[in-house]
Amino acid sequence: MLLPNQGATLADPATTSTDPQQSNGIDLQQQPKNKEESGLLSSITSNPYFSAGFGLIGVGAGLTLLRQGLTLGAGYLQRRLLVTLEIPSKDKSYLWFLQWMSQQAPKRGRLQHLAVETSYKQHDNGSISTTFGLVPGPGIHYFRWHGVWMKVQRQRDGKMMDLSTGSPWETITITTLSQDRKVFKELLSEAQEMALKKQEGKTVIYTSYGPEWRPFGMPRRRRLLDSVILDNGVKERIVEDVRAFIGNGKWYNERGIPYRRGYLLYGPPGSGKSSFIQSLAGELEYNICILNLSERGLTDDRLNHLLSNVPERSIMLLEDIDAAFTKRAQADNQGYQSMITFSGLLNALDGVASAEERIIFLTTNHVENLDAALIRPGRVDMKEFLGNATESQIRGMFSRFYGKDNKELEDAFFDRVKDRQISTASLQGHFVYFKDKPEEAVEQAELLWTQLM
Ligand SMILES: Nc1ncnc2c1ncn2[C@@H]1O[C@H](COP(=O)(O)OP(=O)(O)OP(=O)(O)O)[C@@H](O)[C@H]1O
Ligand SMILES: [Mg+2]
């Protein structure tokens, strides 16, 4: 028997094939010309060194061929029999799928690697607690769903970074048999349904995160329209207008009008502008995308991109629209100044004429600072002033806090504050402070103007 080290030497093609005659085994076997030669042949073939080397080369070549064949075959089979679905981390379905799988997988397969995902839960009293969910970590997972086996690979690209978010680029690849391809669709819609169910009755607030929109915090419980008390008729006017707008895309399209509507709410701080928009979103079951124009690093391009990629069913909200362009903001150049230009903002507001519905709310405390171009019809179609508390608002807020049966106290309270300029936010502060104590709220009414609430 050959010793291992001899075998290794013989297997080396460089040593076994130095003589072309030797390596050409067929020639040697087919043409034994004379005794001497056949003697040579037999001595060669019987030479254990040669035959071992030759054999090993043969086996090596055979194996290579086999391996190539197998690879080809596997590639072919893979193409014919398997189907893969790729979900990049940029896609909405990505998180949906991860969450879905973390619910499914423990029942149907085994998750080898887990990753933690922190989430929040809002309780009835408004407090928030944290829960930790386990989602499939990077790696390969196998599981069975609706009788179909799937391989799920979560891959993190170490080199590629998603520059906008600073997180590593990831993809999930799901592989299954070609004949089962229809499960992908079912699976994705189930994941989507599950994710949306979690948001039911909630308002999702999105903020810009680089060039994209990301949910900000957890979905909030919907704010009720009733909880915001505006002057007579204001709320109804806006709600009616928005309702008339939604679902009327055909009307706009037929007339060649871009399907969007802009609203401007202006007035002093604490008059309920932001709260009203939140309650409107709740009423319509819409989400809100908030963009701060004085955000650092915001450029015309990003602004444009953000405004043309608003998540569906959401209200676009640009707060303090004046702040980005007033002289004050230009002057204190502390690095917080965004880089958008006024024309950039106008262009972004106009956007590409798309068929997609767009509802934009602008708010400001200083309507007088706004350029006429910004609030011309087409950009802003409806303007509403939300001012300090009017009689109906004072009374409305009082009865909201202390009930409708406190008419006398309500009158007394109104009498005390009617000649003052008081914001609805201050009223709220006052009533919260004198919670369940309407008499004291009336007695101490002067706190509203002697103290900052
Ligand atoms: N009209 C109102 N009805 C009920 N609550 C109000 C009203 N106005 C203000 N509030 C309460 O006061 C607080 C501040 O209101 P909000 O943020 O909506 O004011 P705003 O008009 O957006 O102010 P700013 O101009 O400073 O952004 C909120 O907690 C809100 O509930
Ligand atoms: Mg506000």
Side-chain angles (χ1 to χ4, degrees), residues 322-342:
D322 59 295
F325 298 107
T326 55
K327 292 190 196 80
R328 174 176 51 83
Q330 300 285 352
D332 64 26
N333 202 352
Q334 296 180 329
Y336 293 107
Q337 185 69 355
S338 68
M339 293 185 285
I340 47 165
T341 63
F342 187 65

Side-chain angles (χ1 to χ4, degrees), residues 118-130:
T118 313
S119 55
Y120 306 91
K121 187 175 187 303
Q122 191 179 17
H123 301 283
D124 285 337
N125 63 5
S127 70
I128 292 159
S129 62
T130 314

Side-chain angles (χ1 to χ4, degrees), residues 401-402 427-437 440-441 444 447 451 453:
F401 275 85
Y402 303 116
L427 282 180
Q428 174 183 283
H430 190 74
F431 297 151
V432 168
Y433 188 76
F434 294 108
K435 186 168 168 288
D436 304 324
K437 296 178 191 141
E440 282 184 51
Q444 312 264 351
L447 283 178
Q451 274 190 6
M453 291 215 90

Side-chain angles (χ1 to χ4, degrees), residues 79-95:
R79 276 194 300 280
R80 288 300 301 266
L81 296 178
L82 298 180
V83 52
T84 60
L85 170 77
E86 203 177 286
I87 315 176
S89 50
K90 263 193 159 333
D91 196 273
K92 283 195 275 214
S93 312
Y94 186 79
L95 277 181

Side-chain angles (χ1 to χ4, degrees), residues 21-254:
Q21 280 257 299
Q22 272 190 353
S23 63
N24 195 342
I26 298 162
D27 237 22
L28 287 167
Q29 277 184 349
Q30 280 176 345
Q31 294 154 6
K33 287 201 176 103
N34 52 44
K35 232 182 169 182
E36 210 187 316
E37 276 183 357
S38 60
L40 178 69
L41 173 70
S42 66
S43 76
I44 288 170
T45 46
S46 62
N47 178 339
Y49 288 89
F50 170 74
S51 50
F54 178 72
L56 280 176
I57 293 172
V59 171
L63 276 178
T64 311
L65 264 178
L66 188 66
R67 198 174 330 120
Q68 279 173 353
L70 276 177
T71 319
L72 273 176
Y76 176 77
L77 280 179
Q78 196 159 348
R79 276 194 300 280
R80 288 300 301 266
L81 296 178
L82 298 180
V83 52
T84 60
L85 170 77
E86 203 177 286
I87 315 176
S89 50
K90 263 193 159 333
D91 196 273
K92 283 195 275 214
S93 312
Y94 186 79
L95 277 181
W96 295 346
F97 177 78
L98 273 189
Q99 285 166 358
W100 175 85
M101 194 166 157
S102 66
Q103 286 223 337
Q104 294 297 323
K107 289 179 251 164
R108 306 177 194 272
R110 207 151 52 84
L111 289 185
Q112 285 95 340
H113 329 277
L114 296 165
V116 73
E117 197 187 58
T118 313
S119 55
Y120 306 91
K121 187 175 187 303
Q122 191 179 17
H123 301 283
D124 285 337
N125 63 5
S127 70
I128 292 159
S129 62
T130 314
T131 53
F132 301 103
L134 294 176
V135 296
I140 296 179
H141 311 271
Y142 292 93
F143 78 108
R144 206 170 132 90
W145 183 71
H146 285 193
V148 173
W149 273 103
M150 274 174 261
K151 177 178 124 182
V152 174
Q153 187 166 23
R154 182 176 174 192
Q155 253 171 330
R156 194 167 276 174
D157 192 319
K159 284 184 224 111
M160 255 203 330
M161 285 288 262
D162 188 344
L163 285 180
S164 58
T165 61
S167 51
W169 183 275
E170 289 194 0
T171 33
I172 289 176
T173 315
I174 316 171
T175 310
T176 191
L177 287 176
S178 203
Q179 65 196 35
D180 297 326
R181 64 201 315 147
K182 66 175 189 308
V183 297
F184 285 160
K185 238 180 156 173
E186 292 169 25
L187 186 155
L188 286 178
S189 56
E190 194 178 296
Q192 182 196 30
E193 211 173 282
M194 201 186 93
L196 294 184
K197 227 183 207 137
K198 274 196 181 164
Q199 303 181 353
E200 231 167 60
K202 304 268 173 75
T203 307
V204 180
I205 311 276
Y206 292 93
T207 52
S208 63
Y209 203 77
E212 59 181 282
W213 294 103
R214 284 278 184 91
F216 175 73
M218 25 120 229
R220 288 154 210 220
R221 183 151 320 135
R222 267 192 227 141
R223 179 158 185 158
L224 296 178
L225 213 45
D226 279 349
S227 76
V228 183
I229 294 154
L230 301 187
D231 202 10
N232 288 333
V234 174
K235 206 156 58 176
E236 292 73 13
R237 257 204 309 280
I238 304 176
V239 174
E240 205 173 292
D241 192 278
V242 180
R243 283 206 188 281
F245 169 76
I246 291 173
N248 256 329
K250 194 159 163 270
W251 190 91
Y252 280 79
N253 278 340
E254 280 169 4

Side-chain angles (χ1 to χ4, degrees), residues 152-416:
V152 174
Q153 187 166 23
R154 182 176 174 192
Q155 253 171 330
R156 194 167 276 174
D157 192 319
K159 284 184 224 111
M160 255 203 330
M161 285 288 262
D162 188 344
L163 285 180
S164 58
T165 61
S167 51
W169 183 275
E170 289 194 0
T171 33
I172 289 176
T173 315
I174 316 171
T175 310
T176 191
L177 287 176
S178 203
Q179 65 196 35
D180 297 326
R181 64 201 315 147
K182 66 175 189 308
V183 297
F184 285 160
K185 238 180 156 173
E186 292 169 25
L187 186 155
L188 286 178
S189 56
E190 194 178 296
Q192 182 196 30
E193 211 173 282
M194 201 186 93
L196 294 184
K197 227 183 207 137
K198 274 196 181 164
Q199 303 181 353
E200 231 167 60
K202 304 268 173 75
T203 307
V204 180
I205 311 276
Y206 292 93
T207 52
S208 63
Y209 203 77
E212 59 181 282
W213 294 103
R214 284 278 184 91
F216 175 73
M218 25 120 229
R220 288 154 210 220
R221 183 151 320 135
R222 267 192 227 141
R223 179 158 185 158
L224 296 178
L225 213 45
D226 279 349
S227 76
V228 183
I229 294 154
L230 301 187
D231 202 10
N232 288 333
V234 174
K235 206 156 58 176
E236 292 73 13
R237 257 204 309 280
I238 304 176
V239 174
E240 205 173 292
D241 192 278
V242 180
R243 283 206 188 281
F245 169 76
I246 291 173
N248 256 329
K250 194 159 163 270
W251 190 91
Y252 280 79
N253 278 340
E254 280 169 4
R255 284 156 187 81
I257 312 170
Y259 187 34
R260 63 158 172 264
R261 196 127 178 106
Y263 300 83
L264 172 72
L265 303 185
Y266 63 99
S271 51
K273 299 178 292 295
S274 307
S275 313
F276 170 69
I277 295 163
Q278 208 183 320
S279 70
L280 177 71
E283 169 78 15
L284 300 170
E285 295 180 36
Y286 269 48
N287 296 319
I288 306 180
C289 294
I290 303 182
L291 188 61
N292 180 357
L293 286 186
S294 24
E295 185 188 300
R296 181 185 206 154
L298 187 63
T299 59
D300 285 352
D301 278 351
R302 267 182 55 197
L303 177 69
N304 208 352
H305 184 82
L306 283 166
L307 287 202
S308 24
N309 290 286
V310 176
E312 56 178 359
R313 273 184 91 82
S314 40
I315 291 175
M316 176 74 230
L317 171 56
L318 302 182
E319 293 260 40
D320 302 321
I321 188 95
D322 59 295
F325 298 107
T326 55
K327 292 190 196 80
R328 174 176 51 83
Q330 300 285 352
D332 64 26
N333 202 352
Q334 296 180 329
Y336 293 107
Q337 185 69 355
S338 68
M339 293 185 285
I340 47 165
T341 63
F342 187 65
S343 63
L345 172 62
L346 297 187
N347 283 334
L349 282 177
D350 293 344
V352 260
S354 68
E356 273 165 59
E357 149 197 299
R358 201 194 289 174
I359 302 173
I360 304 180
F361 271 83
L362 313 180
T363 71
T364 181
N365 297 136
H366 303 282
V367 72
E368 68 280 1
N369 287 348
L370 296 185
D371 196 297
L374 184 59
I375 49 177
R376 73 147 168 76
R379 295 202 179 104
V380 168
D381 304 287
M382 191 176 191
K383 306 177 185 74
E384 287 288 348
F385 172 67
L386 272 58
N388 285 324
T390 61
E391 173 167 359
S392 70
Q393 283 173 291
I394 296 170
R395 289 181 179 281
M397 298 232 5
F398 192 93
S399 61
R400 217 185 132 68
F401 275 85
Y402 303 116
K404 290 198 191 309
D405 312 323
N406 268 325
K407 275 284 170 252
E408 266 173 45
L409 282 173
E410 185 188 303
D411 288 342
F413 183 78
F414 175 65
D415 235 37
R416 294 211 58 190

